[in-house]
Amino acid sequence: MIMIEDIEKVLYTEEEIQKKVEELGRLITRDYERKNLFIINVLKGSVVFLSDLIRSITLPLSIDFMAISSYGPSTQSSGVVRLVKDLEENINDKNVLVVEDIVDTGLTLNYLLKSLKARGPKSIEVCTLLDKSIRRIVDVPLAYKGFDVPDVFVVGYGLDYDQRYRNLPFIGILRPEIFTRT
Ligand code: IMP
Ligand code: MG
């Protein structure tokens, strides 16, 4: 099975993504100078973005991981959020930046931010590569965002459909018939 055959259209090429990630890295570098930057990454979709983003930030920083699950194999948000893995470090008094792959309904991020704010960080902001704002249910403040995506299901560059396609170097739209295939 060749993954590329399942892609209807490439939305953002590898080059476009790299350019955008560097831009975000520059903004973050500018804003967090002399602040202890603590990056929280939400597994698993955003690890690809994270690994590129941190290399575009020219400041000392640390990273920690969290896993929250709101999606099963389906492409619809269930609204049910489950904490699968918690942070290893304490974020009290730290300048936290949450790195996300995509904000869709906002339900996942809303839950996450609420739980993180209760732990007393000095500041907390969000950086997302993709913003599917048209689907938003709860308003979440996004300090940094890469691309505004249309209301389509996208895969690649960390984003999956049923755990697949994360390793595509670009972001593309999946052919609709893939969703109905078992
Ligand atoms: P939300 O709670 O609806 O904002 O969903 C956020 C999560 O849903 C993301 O972190 C992704 O894991 C997943 N998601 C939402 N839209 C897409 C998409 O177009 N492609 C792949 N995953 C998506
Ligand atoms: Mg996912």
Side-chain angles (χ1 to χ4, degrees):
M1 209 282 303
I2 307 163
M3 282 192 301
I4 229 102
E5 287 175 354
D6 295 349
I7 303 299
E8 186 168 86
K9 187 181 166 214
V10 173
L11 218 49
Y12 310 110
T13 65
E14 203 174 343
E15 292 73 27
E16 287 170 328
I17 296 169
Q18 290 313 319
K19 211 173 135 226
K20 188 62 85 177
V21 172
E22 279 162 27
E23 218 174 281
L24 291 169
R26 269 197 301 276
L27 290 176
I28 294 165
T29 302
R30 181 199 66 191
D31 296 348
Y32 284 86
E33 220 194 324
R34 281 183 290 275
K35 290 179 184 171
N36 55 334
L37 177 56
F38 189 86
I39 293 183
I40 294 179
N41 191 232
V42 187
L43 296 170
K44 306 173 217 176
S46 23
V47 291
V48 178
F49 175 41
L50 175 90
S51 71
D52 283 338
L53 183 69
I54 57 172
R55 284 175 288 175
S56 302
I57 302 173
T58 56
L59 296 171
L61 57 85
S62 33
I63 57 175
D64 202 349
F65 297 92
M66 222 176 179
I68 276 176
S69 170
S70 74
Y71 266 69
S74 129
T75 61
Q76 297 300 306
S77 183
S78 59
V80 180
V81 185
R82 193 163 56 96
L83 181 67
V84 180
K85 184 209 173 295
D86 204 349
L87 297 171
E88 285 173 11
E89 288 180 55
N90 197 314
I91 59 165
N92 184 45
D93 224 30
K94 289 179 183 163
N95 292 299
V96 171
L97 181 66
V98 177
V99 171
E100 265 282 20
D101 49 357
I102 186 166
V103 183
D104 184 18
T105 62
L107 292 168
T108 313
L109 194 55
N110 187 251
Y111 169 87
L112 185 80
L113 288 175
K114 251 191 235 160
S115 126
L116 292 175
K117 276 176 189 162
R119 305 181 193 188
K122 187 182 241 167
S123 68
I124 185 159
E125 300 292 353
V126 177
C127 175
T128 186
L129 180 64
L130 305 177
D131 181 11
K132 210 188 270 183
S133 56
I134 194 160
R135 301 233 323 148
R136 200 64 35 85
I137 291 171
V138 269
D139 187 41
V140 279
L142 306 175
Y144 309 93
K145 59 178 181 177
F147 302 100
D148 259 298
V149 277
D151 190 8
V152 285
F153 196 80
V154 294
V155 293
Y157 196 70
L159 292 145
D160 72 303
Y161 170 64
D162 206 4
Q163 300 305 323
R164 282 162 57 212
Y165 310 104
R166 294 193 197 277
N167 53 326
L168 289 174
F170 55 83
I171 293 170
I173 303 172
L174 208 52
R175 296 162 69 101
E177 58 264 36
I178 307 295
F179 302 132
T180 48
R181 195 197 282 167
T182 46

